[in-house]
Amino acid sequence: MRVAVDQNKCIAAGQCVAANPDVFDQRDSDGVVVLLEAAPDAGQEDGVRRAAAACPALAIQVQG
Amino acid sequence: MSSSQVQDPTGTADAPFFPMSRKPGCPFDPPPPLREAAASHPVSRVTIWNGSTPWIITGHAEQRALLSDPRVSVNDRLPGFPHWHAGMEQVSTRRAPSVFNTDPPEHTRFRRMMTAPFTFKRVNAMRAVVQEITDDLIDRLLAGPRPADLVEAIALPLPTRMICAIMGVPQADHAAFAAQASVGMKRDVTVQAQVESFRWQHDYLADLVRARAAEPRDDMLSDLAQRVTDGEITVEEAAAMGVGLFVAGHETSANMIALATVALLEHPGQLALLRESDDPGLAATAVEELLRYLGIVHMAQRRIATDDIEIGGQTIRAGEGILIELASANRDPRAFPDPDVLDLRRPAPAHHAFGFGLHQCVGQQLARVELQVVYGTLFRRIPTLSLATTLDAIEFKHDGIAYGVYHLPVTW
Ligand code: HEM
Ligand code: SF4
């Protein structure tokens, strides 16, 4: 699985970190998403998909 | 008028009046016509206070699409914007630009100035403080007379203390500030009262921002004061941001605390589950389900189309008002099986209690921690908590922009 985030779209709602804190983080200065792991392993996939579905800004793209 | 027009939910001539009344005896359910709309015509029209007939969106999928559509604007100065009431319309021309009334790129700029204290990690690091305040408030409640008003004792003070602490409002001013902020949340507020309370809060925070510019502390107002000093925003914009945060962040959480208490007491099986379960994940799913089920933001979020939009088989024309009624989407049977069942273990929390899209709630992670702590603590510490009144004697906030109860007499 490949994940990409669009920091310009992100509105810092934190749904992604709530869904998977190993793959997503938020910048201290303004809460904008930081991608920790662009190629998460199988065990992470579920949380990543939940994050992408929950993101209110449609800022998370998942492939595979 | 032909009969087909009478039955046409998208016609303007006989668009029903909004807001609508809930069914007597069903204080937790959205008004029946909205429930029907969500199920059969999720994009229809209503008539509002000024006689205009904006669209009302009740379906979950349709709301998700429109709330993330760049042709849907929150710019409340555009002609035809479907304001909540006359007071709001009057204030709209004087309100400084903020997250509430701007679209990107301005919205992005303002939003990023306010999000830092509300990230998932920053807020979860405050969980111990929320727990401490909650325990303190429960101690005081238990030490005081019975019955007591849960709204005054716990529901209002907890979120008020949290948002004031984060912003840096001195504790001595919390009550005065909270009283002013609640004025604008009422639906039938006079224009005069609306303008006066708005000015009071604005001036109070502008003074505080100036004080923090001179003597910064470790709080949000000091951070905004620094941005004023740097020329990024004006004092007016900083004050508007503070007013907005306070208004959005204290009564909403308070309503969720008190209304959920009523709902749980009316659903003893679910309450027992919450009180007795040793599953640490239950408090979290319980909060999401109560947010969905109660749908407290029930006065419809206001938007305007800046271009023609095809949605749900209808065409919304550029310049037409759009009402996004979040509570009915939370009961949309296409999105939630058995939507009227309160099920604290319900998975997939794709509810719209915090909205969706670029304006989704800034304070949602704080609200979640507050609610997880309160629901997880209150009923364990006071297992005999019960209503000191009957359901039909409770005064619900039918006129509030956020639904809840004015007072909640409880005993134990
Ligand atoms: C359970 C409690 C809460 C509920 C149900 C709630 C609900 C909402 C909803 C539905 C919106 C979207 C409005 C729209 O799209 O038009 C919103 C926005 C907002 N909320 Fe909350 N809220 C809660 C708590 C809080 C708290 C604690 C804070 C602040 C600390 C807060 C601050 C805000 C702000 C600033 C916005 C505007 C965001 C923007 O326009 O970009 N809210 N809230
Ligand atoms: S869920 Fe989306 S908007 Fe929220 S922080 Fe993550 S990427 Fe940003």
PDB file of all heavy atoms in Angstrom, chain B residues 13-28:
ATOM      1  N   ALA B  13     -43.027  27.333  -3.797  1.00  0.00           N
ATOM      2  CA  ALA B  13     -44.308  27.896  -3.378  1.00  0.00           C
ATOM      3  C   ALA B  13     -44.772  27.361  -2.027  1.00  0.00           C
ATOM      4  O   ALA B  13     -45.262  28.102  -1.191  1.00  0.00           O
ATOM      5  CB  ALA B  13     -45.364  27.620  -4.441  1.00  0.00           C
ATOM      6  N   ASP B  14     -44.629  26.056  -1.819  1.00  0.00           N
ATOM      7  CA  ASP B  14     -45.140  25.492  -0.576  1.00  0.00           C
ATOM      8  C   ASP B  14     -44.013  24.867   0.245  1.00  0.00           C
ATOM      9  O   ASP B  14     -44.200  23.897   0.961  1.00  0.00           O
ATOM     10  CB  ASP B  14     -46.223  24.454  -0.872  1.00  0.00           C
ATOM     11  CG  ASP B  14     -45.762  23.429  -1.883  1.00  0.00           C
ATOM     12  OD1 ASP B  14     -44.646  23.592  -2.411  1.00  0.00           O
ATOM     13  OD2 ASP B  14     -46.494  22.467  -2.129  1.00  0.00           O
ATOM     14  N   ALA B  15     -42.818  25.448   0.131  1.00  0.00           N
ATOM     15  CA  ALA B  15     -41.697  24.924   0.913  1.00  0.00           C
ATOM     16  C   ALA B  15     -42.005  25.086   2.399  1.00  0.00           C
ATOM     17  O   ALA B  15     -42.342  26.171   2.846  1.00  0.00           O
ATOM     18  CB  ALA B  15     -40.412  25.663   0.545  1.00  0.00           C
ATOM     19  N   PRO B  16     -41.898  23.999   3.191  1.00  0.00           N
ATOM     20  CA  PRO B  16     -42.253  24.080   4.614  1.00  0.00           C
ATOM     21  C   PRO B  16     -41.302  25.005   5.371  1.00  0.00           C
ATOM     22  O   PRO B  16     -40.165  25.224   4.949  1.00  0.00           O
ATOM     23  CB  PRO B  16     -42.094  22.640   5.107  1.00  0.00           C
ATOM     24  CG  PRO B  16     -41.179  21.996   4.130  1.00  0.00           C
ATOM     25  CD  PRO B  16     -41.410  22.671   2.813  1.00  0.00           C
ATOM     26  N   PHE B  17     -41.802  25.528   6.497  1.00  0.00           N
ATOM     27  CA  PHE B  17     -40.994  26.455   7.273  1.00  0.00           C
ATOM     28  C   PHE B  17     -39.897  25.712   8.025  1.00  0.00           C
ATOM     29  O   PHE B  17     -40.107  24.616   8.549  1.00  0.00           O
ATOM     30  CB  PHE B  17     -41.876  27.229   8.259  1.00  0.00           C
ATOM     31  CG  PHE B  17     -41.155  28.394   8.876  1.00  0.00           C
ATOM     32  CD1 PHE B  17     -40.987  29.575   8.148  1.00  0.00           C
ATOM     33  CD2 PHE B  17     -40.628  28.309  10.148  1.00  0.00           C
ATOM     34  CE1 PHE B  17     -40.294  30.656   8.695  1.00  0.00           C
ATOM     35  CE2 PHE B  17     -39.929  29.379  10.707  1.00  0.00           C
ATOM     36  CZ  PHE B  17     -39.770  30.547   9.979  1.00  0.00           C
ATOM     37  N   PHE B  18     -38.722  26.300   8.051  1.00  0.00           N
ATOM     38  CA  PHE B  18     -37.608  25.780   8.847  1.00  0.00           C
ATOM     39  C   PHE B  18     -37.120  26.895   9.762  1.00  0.00           C
ATOM     40  O   PHE B  18     -37.022  28.035   9.333  1.00  0.00           O
ATOM     41  CB  PHE B  18     -36.461  25.310   7.926  1.00  0.00           C
ATOM     42  CG  PHE B  18     -35.309  24.716   8.706  1.00  0.00           C
ATOM     43  CD1 PHE B  18     -35.274  23.373   9.016  1.00  0.00           C
ATOM     44  CD2 PHE B  18     -34.277  25.529   9.165  1.00  0.00           C
ATOM     45  CE1 PHE B  18     -34.227  22.840   9.760  1.00  0.00           C
ATOM     46  CE2 PHE B  18     -33.234  25.000   9.917  1.00  0.00           C
ATOM     47  CZ  PHE B  18     -33.213  23.656  10.208  1.00  0.00           C
ATOM     48  N   PRO B  19     -36.812  26.646  11.036  1.00  0.00           N
ATOM     49  CA  PRO B  19     -36.772  25.343  11.710  1.00  0.00           C
ATOM     50  C   PRO B  19     -38.151  24.748  12.006  1.00  0.00           C
ATOM     51  O   PRO B  19     -39.137  25.457  12.088  1.00  0.00           O
ATOM     52  CB  PRO B  19     -36.023  25.650  13.009  1.00  0.00           C
ATOM     53  CG  PRO B  19     -36.131  27.117  13.209  1.00  0.00           C
ATOM     54  CD  PRO B  19     -36.288  27.734  11.869  1.00  0.00           C
ATOM     55  N   MET B  20     -38.170  23.436  12.170  1.00  0.00           N
ATOM     56  CA  MET B  20     -39.404  22.688  12.431  1.00  0.00           C
ATOM     57  C   MET B  20     -39.403  22.156  13.863  1.00  0.00           C
ATOM     58  O   MET B  20     -38.351  22.059  14.472  1.00  0.00           O
ATOM     59  CB  MET B  20     -39.472  21.490  11.482  1.00  0.00           C
ATOM     60  CG  MET B  20     -39.551  21.889  10.028  1.00  0.00           C
ATOM     61  SD  MET B  20     -39.057  20.493   9.012  1.00  0.00           S
ATOM     62  CE  MET B  20     -39.163  21.257   7.392  1.00  0.00           C
ATOM     63  N   SER B  21     -40.593  21.779  14.336  1.00  0.00           N
ATOM     64  CA  SER B  21     -40.687  21.248  15.702  1.00  0.00           C
ATOM     65  C   SER B  21     -40.399  19.757  15.727  1.00  0.00           C
ATOM     66  O   SER B  21     -40.761  19.029  14.796  1.00  0.00           O
ATOM     67  CB  SER B  21     -42.089  21.456  16.248  1.00  0.00           C
ATOM     68  OG  SER B  21     -42.402  22.817  16.207  1.00  0.00           O
ATOM     69  N   ARG B  22     -39.790  19.329  16.795  1.00  0.00           N
ATOM     70  CA  ARG B  22     -39.633  17.900  17.016  1.00  0.00           C
ATOM     71  C   ARG B  22     -40.968  17.307  17.440  1.00  0.00           C
ATOM     72  O   ARG B  22     -41.858  18.026  17.890  1.00  0.00           O
ATOM     73  CB  ARG B  22     -38.600  17.643  18.110  1.00  0.00           C
ATOM     74  CG  ARG B  22     -37.204  17.998  17.654  1.00  0.00           C
ATOM     75  CD  ARG B  22     -36.196  17.930  18.762  1.00  0.00           C
ATOM     76  NE  ARG B  22     -34.950  18.536  18.319  1.00  0.00           N
ATOM     77  CZ  ARG B  22     -33.807  17.865  18.119  1.00  0.00           C
ATOM     78  NH1 ARG B  22     -33.759  16.573  18.328  1.00  0.00           N
ATOM     79  NH2 ARG B  22     -32.724  18.489  17.699  1.00  0.00           N
ATOM     80  N   LYS B  23     -41.114  15.980  17.303  1.00  0.00           N
ATOM     81  CA  LYS B  23     -42.358  15.324  17.706  1.00  0.00           C
ATOM     82  C   LYS B  23     -42.420  15.294  19.234  1.00  0.00           C
ATOM     83  O   LYS B  23     -41.430  14.940  19.874  1.00  0.00           O
ATOM     84  CB  LYS B  23     -42.370  13.897  17.148  1.00  0.00           C
ATOM     85  CG  LYS B  23     -43.732  13.268  17.099  1.00  0.00           C
ATOM     86  CD  LYS B  23     -43.701  12.131  16.097  1.00  0.00           C
ATOM     87  CE  LYS B  23     -44.052  10.822  16.761  1.00  0.00           C
ATOM     88  NZ  LYS B  23     -43.774   9.674  15.902  1.00  0.00           N
ATOM     89  N   PRO B  24     -43.564  15.682  19.825  1.00  0.00           N
ATOM     90  CA  PRO B  24     -43.663  15.639  21.288  1.00  0.00           C
ATOM     91  C   PRO B  24     -43.344  14.230  21.788  1.00  0.00           C
ATOM     92  O   PRO B  24     -43.781  13.241  21.194  1.00  0.00           O
ATOM     93  CB  PRO B  24     -45.133  15.991  21.553  1.00  0.00           C
ATOM     94  CG  PRO B  24     -45.598  16.701  20.332  1.00  0.00           C
ATOM     95  CD  PRO B  24     -44.805  16.151  19.185  1.00  0.00           C
ATOM     96  N   GLY B  25     -42.576  14.150  22.866  1.00  0.00           N
ATOM     97  CA  GLY B  25     -42.216  12.842  23.410  1.00  0.00           C
ATOM     98  C   GLY B  25     -40.986  12.227  22.770  1.00  0.00           C
ATOM     99  O   GLY B  25     -40.519  11.187  23.216  1.00  0.00           O
ATOM    100  N   CYS B  26     -40.476  12.851  21.701  1.00  0.00           N
ATOM    101  CA  CYS B  26     -39.272  12.329  21.042  1.00  0.00           C
ATOM    102  C   CYS B  26     -38.180  13.398  21.032  1.00  0.00           C
ATOM    103  O   CYS B  26     -37.806  13.908  19.964  1.00  0.00           O
ATOM    104  CB  CYS B  26     -39.559  11.906  19.607  1.00  0.00           C
ATOM    105  SG  CYS B  26     -40.797  10.621  19.461  1.00  0.00           S
ATOM    106  N   PRO B  27     -37.650  13.745  22.210  1.00  0.00           N
ATOM    107  CA  PRO B  27     -36.713  14.871  22.271  1.00  0.00           C
ATOM    108  C   PRO B  27     -35.372  14.609  21.606  1.00  0.00           C
ATOM    109  O   PRO B  27     -34.607  15.538  21.404  1.00  0.00           O
ATOM    110  CB  PRO B  27     -36.538  15.087  23.785  1.00  0.00           C
ATOM    111  CG  PRO B  27     -36.818  13.755  24.395  1.00  0.00           C
ATOM    112  CD  PRO B  27     -37.882  13.135  23.535  1.00  0.00           C
ATOM    113  N   PHE B  28     -35.068  13.342  21.291  1.00  0.00           N
ATOM    114  CA  PHE B  28     -33.765  13.041  20.704  1.00  0.00           C
ATOM    115  C   PHE B  28     -33.821  12.926  19.184  1.00  0.00           C
ATOM    116  O   PHE B  28     -32.780  12.814  18.541  1.00  0.00           O
ATOM    117  CB  PHE B  28     -33.189  11.746  21.288  1.00  0.00           C
ATOM    118  CG  PHE B  28     -33.172  11.744  22.791  1.00  0.00           C
ATOM    119  CD1 PHE B  28     -33.863  10.778  23.497  1.00  0.00           C
ATOM    120  CD2 PHE B  28     -32.490  12.728  23.496  1.00  0.00           C
ATOM    121  CE1 PHE B  28     -33.852  10.777  24.879  1.00  0.00           C
ATOM    122  CE2 PHE B  28     -32.478  12.744  24.872  1.00  0.00           C
ATOM    123  CZ  PHE B  28     -33.169  11.768  25.574  1.00  0.00           C
TER     124      PHE B  28
END
